Amino acid sequence: AFFSSLFAKENLNSMSEEQLNLYDRLINEPSNDWDIYYWATEAKPTPVEFDNEVMAALRDFAKNKKREQRLRQPDLEYLFESPH
C-alpha cells in the first residue's frame, strides 16, 4: 500500500527488531490494506491485536503534522514513446 510504504521509507531504519516484527505482522496479517489505512486514520478502531507502538506511530504519521506533500503523479513518459 502506498501509505504504509511511505511510512516504511521514513521509519524502518530507526526501528528496533521488535518494532520491525510488529510492522511486518501489521502489513502482512490483515487481509485488506484498506483496514490498515482506516485504523491509521482512525476511521475505524484498531483491533487489540494490532494496537501497538507501531500502529500508534502509523496513526501519528497519518496526521501528517509536518504537512508534507505526499501525493505524486505517476510518470507518464511511456505515453509519449514512439511505437517500435
Side-chain angles (χ1 to χ4, degrees), residues 40-84:
T41 57
E42 299 180 83
K44 291 183 179 177
T46 304
V48 174
E49 64 268 27
F50 296 114
D51 201 3
N52 53 50
E53 62 186 291
V54 173
M55 191 67 230
L58 195 57
R59 276 194 297 267
D60 199 48
F61 179 79
K63 291 173 184 161
N64 196 7
K65 290 177 181 158
K66 297 177 192 168
R67 297 286 182 258
E68 295 165 329
Q69 182 64 37
R70 292 180 177 162
L71 297 177
R72 184 175 160 273
Q73 293 296 323
D75 295 324
L76 300 177
E77 287 88 10
Y78 69 91
L79 291 177
F80 304 104
E81 288 176 7
S82 56
H84 298 294

Side-chain angles (χ1 to χ4, degrees), residues 14-62:
S14 61
M15 284 186 178
S16 68
E17 188 174 345
E18 182 185 355
Q19 289 169 326
L20 289 170
N21 289 335
L22 290 171
Y23 179 76
D24 188 59
R25 189 170 157 235
L26 176 65
I27 61 169
N28 288 304
E29 282 189 23
S31 57
N32 188 337
D33 281 344
W34 280 107
D35 285 338
I36 300 168
Y37 179 78
Y38 293 141
W39 303 336
T41 57
E42 299 180 83
K44 291 183 179 177
T46 304
V48 174
E49 64 268 27
F50 296 114
D51 201 3
N52 53 50
E53 62 186 291
V54 173
M55 191 67 230
L58 195 57
R59 276 194 297 267
D60 199 48
F61 179 79

